[in-house]
Amino acid sequence: MKSKIIVVLALLGSTALAVANPVQQIHMEWLNIIALAAHQTNYSGTFVHQYGNRLETSNISHIFDQGGERTKLVNQDGSKCEVTSNNSAEWCYPGDKVGQAEQAHDRKAFPVLLPEQLSTLGENYQIHTGETARIAGFDTQVLELRPRDSLRYAHKMWVHIDSGLLLKAAVLSDRQEVVEQYTFIQLKVNSSTKPTKTPLSGISKTTAQPKLPLAQKIVAVADESAWKVDGIPAGFKKIAEIHRFMRGKKNVATQMVFSDGLVGISIFIETRSSNPDSALGLSSQGAIHIYSKLNSDYLVTVVGEVPPSTVLQVANSVRNRGLLSN
Amino acid sequence: MKQNISALMDGELFDEDSEVVLNKLKRNPEAHAEWQVYHLISDALRQPDHVRPDISTSMRERLRDEPIVFAPAVQQKKARWYAVSAAASVMAITLMAWLSLQADSKIQFQVATTQNTMHPASFSAADNLDDYLSAHREFSPSKDVLRMTSHVRTVTRQQTNRIDK
């Protein structure tokens, strides 16, 4: 019930969108509802994740209360691995209970999409609301985001009509082939917040601090970029450029992040000497592709939820401004 | 041209057309780069854990690993045609490899040497790449609309790492 009210508030609250077309505006509101629901709904369930030739089942529990947001993920296949997140921090507990820490860097406190992000999204994707469908016993609205070029993937989403949760989502190639998808096979949406009775009760709001030092420390936000990237597809805007330490490496890496409102492309640039045994080439996990290449004295790595040709195009276009002017 | 390259890769062109496209590939470095990218993508779509950036490198390695046969092959009339076409293919591939070296000899050479010395074909890069994935995820807008997908990927990623280790 609470989530329904939030949904209505979200519909009423964000009328100042920079989208002229009323139909398109309704589509955009769906995206806001999805973003909000993923943060603020209490739920637990089981989903199946499929990519390439892999198929994996996991359990998820999610709580949102005064203490913020907590999520617990436990895989059901293979050796046990538990991932818990408390607001922006994330811990992984493999079978041997060694805590591995990952400090996420939350960009904003409120999960609703900024109007700026929504308008960027609207420029890059055509949004369609399709039929309704039944997923895991719940009624869903099908939403399709079709890219305006072949440099990004299409996304199909099945949104739970009552809560706004994404019960199923698929990433599609330009040939309409499924690159990656997940679907809930069982789900319980809780209307009230009672953390003590949920599977999350084991996670206190002050989960033990990570045992390992935070390796991925952000050193500084870059003032002016020393790099030029012409191959970024139209519609992607730079949202961050930072200097940071990568795990187990001594030298600072530069990370640039570009967004098209829905997905992102990160470019990492490190000195070659600090990465003597880096993996070069293209690697994939579902819809995420990583491409590493040597660019004179630098190692360039591009990561993004975009097709392989896009990460290749981006990596091949990275140039040092200093070298260009010489 | 893109369509032609794609058709050539899929073996949908007749001999004469193939020749025209191959000739264009030889003359046009951009088209040649396109050809390489198509192969890389085609490899990636088959979903191995890792794909090399440069087919000419892996082709050279494959050739190097081929056993050298000293015994003379049995000569048959039909086999000769195959031999001629195979020789033509090898020449074409060698030419491609040579062209790619000419296009950017310095970088290509660096890629080739590093790969040859450091990584066997079946190496697993998950441990190293995981760091980039986490760093990317911190800022990626996919945490907003696709937040649920992001959660789903997190547990899969941890699981994949454990398998690879």
Side-chain angles (χ1 to χ4, degrees), chain B residues 89-109:
Chain B
S89 309
V90 169
M91 278 175 73
I93 289 161
T94 315
L95 183 64
M96 295 284 177
W98 180 77
L99 278 172
S100 76
L101 281 171
Q102 293 303 305
D104 201 347
S105 58
K106 195 178 171 193
I107 292 171
Q108 295 281 357
F109 179 70

Side-chain angles (χ1 to χ4, degrees), chain A residues 26-63:
Chain A
I26 292 169
H27 295 158
M28 293 296 193
E29 292 296 355
W30 269 113
L31 299 176
N32 248 337
I33 291 166
I34 294 165
L36 199 67
H39 284 274
Q40 303 195 340
T41 311
N42 296 307
Y43 62 88
S44 60
T46 306
F47 62 82
V48 176
H49 183 206
Q50 182 242 322
Y51 61 99
N53 53 5
R54 291 179 197 252
L55 190 71
E56 275 147 25
T57 312
S58 302
N59 283 353
I60 184 168
S61 306
H62 181 267
I63 281 184

Side-chain angles (χ1 to χ4, degrees), chain B residues 35-61:
Chain B
W35 161 265
Q36 286 220 3
V37 168
Y38 270 54
H39 273 282
L40 194 53
I41 293 168
S42 142
D43 283 353
L45 288 176
R46 278 183 228 119
Q47 294 278 348
D49 285 338
H50 188 73
V51 182
R52 296 197 174 188
D54 180 5
I55 51 164
S56 54
T57 311
S58 51
M59 184 55 75
R60 273 198 301 276
E61 281 176 23

Side-chain angles (χ1 to χ4, degrees), chain A:
Chain A
M1 197 60 200
K2 191 182 169 188
S3 56
K4 276 189 189 171
I5 294 167
I6 292 168
V7 165
V8 174
L9 282 176
L11 276 166
L12 294 173
S14 48
T15 46
L17 288 173
V19 185
N21 182 347
V23 179
Q24 191 74 352
Q25 189 167 330
I26 292 169
H27 295 158
M28 293 296 193
E29 292 296 355
W30 269 113
L31 299 176
N32 248 337
I33 291 166
I34 294 165
L36 199 67
H39 284 274
Q40 303 195 340
T41 311
N42 296 307
Y43 62 88
S44 60
T46 306
F47 62 82
V48 176
H49 183 206
Q50 182 242 322
Y51 61 99
N53 53 5
R54 291 179 197 252
L55 190 71
E56 275 147 25
T57 312
S58 302
N59 283 353
I60 184 168
S61 306
H62 181 267
I63 281 184
F64 176 76
D65 59 15
Q66 295 83 352
E69 215 186 329
R70 279 160 290 154
T71 315
K72 178 172 157 182
L73 286 149
V74 185
N75 69 312
Q76 300 299 300
D77 306 326
S79 55
K80 193 180 172 189
C81 167
E82 190 177 308
V83 178
T84 63
S85 68
N86 195 341
N87 292 320
S88 59
E90 210 165 64
W91 290 267
C92 169
Y93 299 93
D96 51 9
K97 289 186 181 173
V98 175
Q100 235 184 358
E102 185 176 291
Q103 180 71 55
H105 197 75
D106 244 352
R107 285 167 291 134
K108 47 184 184 269
F110 200 61
V112 167
L113 305 182
L114 299 169
E116 194 186 331
Q117 185 178 354
L118 272 182
S119 71
T120 312
L121 216 157
E123 284 162 21
N124 294 313
Y125 296 88
Q126 282 184 322
I127 305 169
H128 301 270
T129 42
E131 73 273 30
T132 52
R134 202 159 161 267
I135 304 290
F138 295 97
D139 290 329
T140 62
Q141 169 68 54
V142 180
L143 203 66
E144 284 183 63
L145 278 78
R146 296 178 198 146
R148 294 182 196 271
D149 57 36
S150 61
L151 294 166
R152 51 204 111 203
Y153 285 125
H155 296 260
K156 196 169 177 184
M157 304 164 180
W158 286 256
V159 193
H160 184 204
I161 291 172
D162 288 346
S163 70
L165 289 173
L166 276 191
L167 299 194
K168 181 176 174 180
V171 181
L172 306 163
S173 71
D174 54 355
R175 291 182 182 182
Q176 294 298 304
E177 291 161 341
V178 174
V179 180
E180 176 182 13
Q181 65 180 334
Y182 77 82
T183 180
F184 272 90
I185 49 174
Q186 179 267 319
L187 178 74
K188 195 175 171 219
V189 181
N190 305 320
S191 51
S192 61
T193 311
K194 288 179 182 170
T196 47
K197 287 186 180 177
T198 70
L200 268 178
S201 56
I203 315 165
S204 72
K205 285 173 195 170
T206 52
T207 307
Q209 287 305 302
K211 289 170 189 165
L212 297 175
L214 298 172
Q216 299 199 356
K217 198 177 166 190
I218 293 170
V219 181
V221 175
D223 297 331
E224 198 181 337
S225 184
W227 301 92
K228 198 170 181 293
V229 191
D230 290 330
I232 285 285
F236 276 89
K237 292 173 184 165
K238 197 199 257 185
I239 55 169
E241 177 162 345
I242 53 159
H243 300 303
R244 74 186 316 162
F245 282 112
M246 303 300 281
R247 218 184 296 274
K249 291 176 184 173
K250 285 178 188 166
N251 292 355
V252 172
T254 298
Q255 180 184 5
M256 288 182 264
V257 190
F258 296 82
S259 158
D260 74 346
L262 186 68
V263 298
I265 297 176
S266 282
I267 303 170
F268 298 89
I269 300 161
E270 300 152 82
T271 51
R272 203 183 152 195
S273 54
S274 63
N275 300 277
D277 57 349
S278 291
L280 298 174
L282 183 69
S283 298
S284 308
Q285 192 206 73
I288 303 181
H289 297 279
I290 306 181
Y291 180 64
S292 281
K293 71 169 275 182
L294 293 171
N295 184 345
S296 62
D297 289 335
Y298 296 94
L299 172 72
V300 175
T301 305
V302 178
V303 184
E305 297 94 357
V306 288
S309 50
T310 310
V311 289
L312 284 164
Q313 176 182 313
V314 172
N316 287 328
S317 74
V318 175
R319 301 281 179 273
N320 190 311
R321 282 185 196 277
L323 293 176
L324 280 176
S325 57
N326 286 339

